[in-house]
Amino acid sequence: MNLRDLQYILAVAEHRHFGRAAEACHISQPTLSTQVKKLEETLGVVLFERTKKWVQPTEVGQAILAEARRALEAADGMMAIAQAARDPFSGPLRLGVIPTLGPYLMPLAFAPLREAFPVLTIDPWEDVTEGLLERLRQRQIDAALIATEAPVGNFATIPLFVEPFLAALPVGHPLAREDRVREEALGNDLLVLADGHCMRGQTIAACGRTGPNAEAFRAAGLQTLIHMVAAGYGTTLIPGLAAGAVKGLDVVLRPLAGGARREVAIVARASFPRMTVLEGVARVIRGVVAEVL
């Protein structure tokens, strides 16, 4: 038994499919199947129930998978401690980011981060908040940029900045004549993102309700919402860093009278041994955002 075998069974458990798990592990399916079978023979138990359509961990398999995760986390921790002792700002940093933040923040931050930490390699991973938190738990990423409070548990949080929301209105909309727009006034024709995006709940909480078009149309991405506003389909809220995304479109941006906003932070496992790196990344991001917002 070795660490790679543990990675293989965790991949099978995640993908519930030997072919997709093999692809994720960059090996052939026969090789993966053989290694999993050898591990089962070594342990003397069956880890997965298999059919032609699905793969499901057995009861004992679930318990062994939990131990495998802990073993790999311990191994990762040893490697990270050794790397931190050599140079905490070298090597990869797997950084998750939510979709309503990544396209607008990361292009601003990458060059300053590269200049500040030339031997640090940032590997971004975009997903909704719950997906990122689960990847944190599974050690698939090291930290994540989110705009909600981290759940109670084994997490550490580093505050970054407060980002105001802006009202995005079609050209000619009655509210476009206002210097500041009341959040609740947007509720008549408010469009929101699809379920799973934290900004969906934040938008509804700020404005109180959604318009009738929102029930028939829920965008998977912020850019789609912006284009629907430009087409006169409704109104929405956008985060301040996304203001440049409306350039050239028939969209008017207005500040909000109630000051609706979101708080952006870096969240990581409390046991992550390279917190010094995250503090350094946080300093750079704060500096970049302070020049824009």
Side-chain angles (χ1 to χ4, degrees), residues 34-113:
T34 298
Q35 290 303 114
V36 172
K37 186 65 176 177
K38 286 182 178 179
L39 182 58
E40 288 179 322
E41 291 173 354
T42 298
L43 295 172
V45 295
V46 176
L47 300 177
F48 299 100
E49 292 184 40
R50 304 160 171 86
T51 73
K52 291 183 178 180
K53 294 184 177 180
W54 52 264
V55 177
Q56 182 73 29
T58 61
E59 184 175 353
V60 68
Q62 291 280 17
I64 289 174
L65 286 165
E67 293 298 324
R69 291 187 186 97
R70 282 191 281 270
L72 287 175
E73 183 169 2
D76 288 347
M78 286 188 286
M79 293 296 294
I81 289 170
Q83 180 175 312
R86 297 192 303 270
D87 182 357
F89 288 92
S90 68
L93 178 68
R94 301 169 298 174
L95 185 63
V97 59
I98 56 175
T100 57
L101 182 63
Y104 315 108
L105 174 63
M106 300 317 289
L108 297 174
F110 263 127
L113 285 169

Side-chain angles (χ1 to χ4, degrees), residues 91-240:
L93 178 68
R94 301 169 298 174
L95 185 63
V97 59
I98 56 175
T100 57
L101 182 63
Y104 315 108
L105 174 63
M106 300 317 289
L108 297 174
F110 263 127
L113 285 169
R114 190 180 304 115
E115 182 178 356
F117 314 118
V119 292
L120 180 68
T121 303
I122 295 181
D123 298 328
W125 187 292
E126 189 175 270
D127 200 351
V128 295
T129 303
E130 283 305 314
L132 293 179
L133 294 175
E134 182 59 27
R135 290 185 183 279
L136 270 176
R137 295 185 186 99
Q138 300 296 332
R139 308 170 330 280
Q140 295 171 344
I141 57 176
D142 300 315
L145 299 172
I146 65 173
T148 57
E149 290 186 6
V152 176
N154 191 32
F155 290 104
T157 302
I158 302 173
L160 289 178
F161 57 90
V162 174
E163 184 178 24
F165 289 127
L166 300 171
L169 312 162
V171 171
H173 192 283
L175 293 175
R177 297 192 294 267
E178 304 290 333
D179 292 332
R180 290 182 175 272
V181 174
R182 293 180 298 106
E183 287 88 333
E184 58 270 21
L186 296 169
N188 292 330
D189 51 6
L190 185 70
L191 301 174
V192 294
L193 290 167
D195 293 336
H197 290 271
C198 60
M199 193 174 161
R200 169 183 168 81
Q202 292 164 341
T203 299
I204 294 173
C207 300
R209 65 186 189 281
T210 60
N213 286 343
E215 296 305 315
F217 175 82
R218 293 180 181 178
L222 188 59
Q223 201 64 33
T224 301
L225 276 186
I226 292 171
H227 281 280
M228 294 304 292
V229 171
Y233 196 71
T235 66
T236 194
L237 298 187
I238 68 169

Side-chain angles (χ1 to χ4, degrees), residues 73 77 81 154-156 268-275:
E73 183 169 2
I81 289 170
N154 191 32
F155 290 104
R269 296 182 303 278
S271 59
F272 184 59
R274 299 169 66 200
M275 294 301 293

